[in-house]
C-alpha cells in the first residue's frame, strides 16, 4: 500500500484561494490523474476554501488548514476552519441555498463539491468551525483511454 | 485574471481570461458594473472561452450581470464551448434562462 501525506496552513485571504487549489492539485498529480480529474479536485478545493473565507470567517482573519492523504489511488482531502460554523448543515448543502444572497453567491458550492468528488462529508460546530472531508479515486486510465 | 470590454452597437462585450474564482470575481464585478452602468448599451455578451478555471463564484458573477442587463431591458448571453465551464453553468441552472453559443461571433449574430 502506497501512502503519502501533506498539510497546508494559510490565512483566510481570498488571494490564497488559487494558491490552495494549485498546491492540492500538485500533490494529487503524483497519482497521474487526467486533466479532468485534476480540474475536479481544483474546483472542489476552491469551493471549500471560498466557503471558509466568506462564511466561516466572514472575511475576517483566520487560519485554514488543508490536509491531504493518499492511499494507493485514493486522495482524501480535509479542509478545516475555526470560524463561526454552520447552524444547519442540511440546509446549507441544499442546491441554491445561500446565507448571503446580497453577495451574489450562487449557493452551488457544496453541490459542486459533491458532483466533482466521490464523497463529501461536512462536520460543523457553531462557534468552533467546520471540517469538509472529500475523497476522490484516481482511475489510472491507460494512455488510450485518456 | 484579465478583463477586456468593448461596445458593439447595443452590446457590451465582456471577455474574461484566466481564472475566475471568488477572489478575481470581486474585482471583475466592480469593473463591469462601473462600465455598464454608464454605458448606453443594454445587452451583455460574456465570452468565457479564454477562462482556464471557473468555480461557482463565476456563476454568481454571471447571475448578477444577468440582472443588471434585465434592469436595462436587455439580455445577457454567453459565448463558451469549454466543457468544464459549460458543465458548471449547466449544473447551476443558468442555461435555463441564459442562451449559450459556442463562440463570440455566433453569440453576437443571435442576440
Amino acid at each position: 500500500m502506497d501512502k503519502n501525506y501533506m498539510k497546508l496552513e494559510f490565512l483566510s485571504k481570498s488571494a490564497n484561494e488559487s494558491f490552495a487549489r494549485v498546491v492540492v492539485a500538485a500533490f494529487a498529480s503524483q497519482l497521474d490523474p487526467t486533466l479532468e480529474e485534476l480540474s475536479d479536485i481544483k474546483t472542489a478545493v476552491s469551493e471549500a476554501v471560498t466557503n471558509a473565507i466568506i462564511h466561516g470567517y466572514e472575511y475576517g482573519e483566520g487560519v485554514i488548514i488543508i490536509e491531504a492523504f493518499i492511499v494507493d489511488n485514493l486522495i482524501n482531502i480535509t479542509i478545516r476552519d475555526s470560524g463561526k460554523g454552520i447552524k444547519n448543515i442540511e440546509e446549507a448543502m441544499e442546491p441554491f441555498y445561500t446565507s448571503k444572497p446580497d453577495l451574489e453567491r450562487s449557493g452551488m458550492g457544496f453541490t459542486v463539491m459533491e458532483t466533482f468528488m466521490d464523497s463529501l462529508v461536512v462536520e460543523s460546530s457553531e462557534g468552533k468551525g467546520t471540517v469538509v472531508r472529500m475523497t476522490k479515486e484516481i482511475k489510472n486510465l491507460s494512455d488510450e483511454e485518456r | 485574471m484579465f478583463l477586456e470590454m468593448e461596445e458593439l452597437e447595443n452590446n457590451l462585450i465582456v471577455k474574461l481570461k484566466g481564472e475566475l474564482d471568488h477572489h478575481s470575481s470581486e474585482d471583475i464585478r466592480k469593473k463591469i458594473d462601473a462600465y455598464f452602468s454608464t454605458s448606453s448599451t443594454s445587452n451583455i455578451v460574456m465570452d468565457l472561452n479564454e477562462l482556464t478555471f471557473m468555480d461557482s463564484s463565476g456563476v454568481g458573477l454571471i447571475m448578477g450581470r444577468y440582472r443588471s442587463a434585465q434592469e436595462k431591458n436587455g439580455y445577457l448571453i454567453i459565448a463558451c464551448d469549454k466543457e468544464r465551464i459549460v458543465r458548471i453553468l449547466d449544473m447551476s441552472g443558468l442555461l435555463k434562462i441564459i442562451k449559450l453559443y459556442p463562440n463570440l461571433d455566433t453569440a453576437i449574430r443571435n442576440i
Side-chain angles (χ1 to χ4, degrees):
Chain A
M1 188 183 286
D2 199 19
K3 289 183 188 175
N4 203 351
Y5 167 75
M6 64 80 82
K7 183 176 178 179
L8 178 71
E9 197 171 321
F10 55 92
L11 270 187
S12 57
K13 288 179 174 287
S14 65
N16 286 334
E17 290 159 4
S18 81
F19 164 68
R21 64 179 177 259
V22 167
V23 169
V24 178
F27 182 70
S29 64
Q30 63 194 275
L31 294 175
D32 201 17
T34 60
L35 282 178
E36 192 178 353
E37 286 168 330
L38 212 51
S39 186
D40 287 349
I41 291 171
K42 273 169 97 173
T43 312
V45 169
S46 195
E47 298 290 353
V49 171
T50 302
N51 274 354
I53 292 169
I54 298 178
H55 303 287
Y57 292 116
E58 297 187 300
Y59 294 100
E61 198 166 283
V63 171
I64 298 170
I65 298 169
I66 300 184
E67 284 175 281
F69 298 87
I70 285 174
V71 181
D72 293 332
N73 61 340
L74 189 79
I75 183 159
N76 187 316
I77 303 163
T78 302
I79 296 156
R80 191 186 305 268
D81 71 63
S82 306
K84 63 179 273 196
I86 303 169
K87 204 174 189 176
N88 184 338
I89 295 179
E90 218 170 287
E91 183 182 52
M93 289 181 76
E94 276 172 26
F96 309 115
Y97 172 80
T98 176
S99 57
K100 300 198 185 320
D102 47 318
L103 291 182
E104 289 189 355
R105 304 304 307 164
S106 66
M108 291 299 295
F110 283 125
T111 307
V112 169
M113 290 179 236
E114 255 177 337
T115 310
F116 289 175
M117 300 296 278
D118 295 339
S119 74
L120 169 71
V121 177
V122 183
E123 293 157 23
S124 192
S125 162
E126 263 192 284
K128 289 187 178 163
T130 300
V131 184
V132 173
R133 297 178 203 278
M134 306 184 280
T135 61
K136 191 170 183 73
E137 187 190 335
I138 303 303
K139 302 282 192 299
N140 290 120
L141 297 177
S142 64
D143 287 346
E144 293 81 47
E145 289 171 299
R146 279 170 193 255
Chain B
M1 182 84 227
F2 196 71
L3 167 74
E4 242 179 59
M5 288 186 282
E6 59 170 316
E7 293 183 12
L8 186 72
E9 295 166 359
N10 192 27
N11 310 314
L12 176 65
I13 316 289
V14 179
K15 286 187 192 173
L16 298 174
K17 295 179 187 178
E19 304 205 324
L20 183 59
D21 61 5
H22 161 242
H23 180 69
S24 57
S25 68
E26 303 271 301
D27 186 43
I28 298 290
R29 169 180 302 137
K30 282 181 201 149
K31 285 179 179 158
I32 298 174
D33 286 355
Y35 197 119
F36 191 60
S37 63
T38 55
S39 160
S40 60
T41 56
S42 52
N43 300 321
I44 298 176
V45 184
M46 288 194 116
D47 185 354
L48 309 180
N49 270 324
E50 286 186 62
L51 282 184
T52 51
F53 176 87
M54 187 182 96
D55 63 15
S56 73
S57 297
V59 172
L61 176 84
I62 296 166
M63 272 165 53
R65 308 298 70 69
Y66 168 79
R67 289 194 200 104
S68 311
Q70 269 191 325
E71 279 164 21
K72 288 171 111 181
N73 293 317
Y75 302 96
L76 180 144
I77 60 171
I78 299 172
C80 186
D81 69 350
K82 285 201 151 185
E83 201 191 324
R84 295 286 317 172
I85 308 229
V86 171
R87 191 173 168 202
I88 292 188
L89 294 174
D90 191 34
M91 199 190 291
S92 69
L94 268 190
L95 299 182
K96 287 181 188 148
I97 51 167
I98 294 176
K99 283 190 178 160
L100 171 78
Y101 297 95
N103 55 56
L104 193 55
D105 288 347
T106 323
I108 293 169
R109 243 183 287 130
N110 284 286
I111 199 163

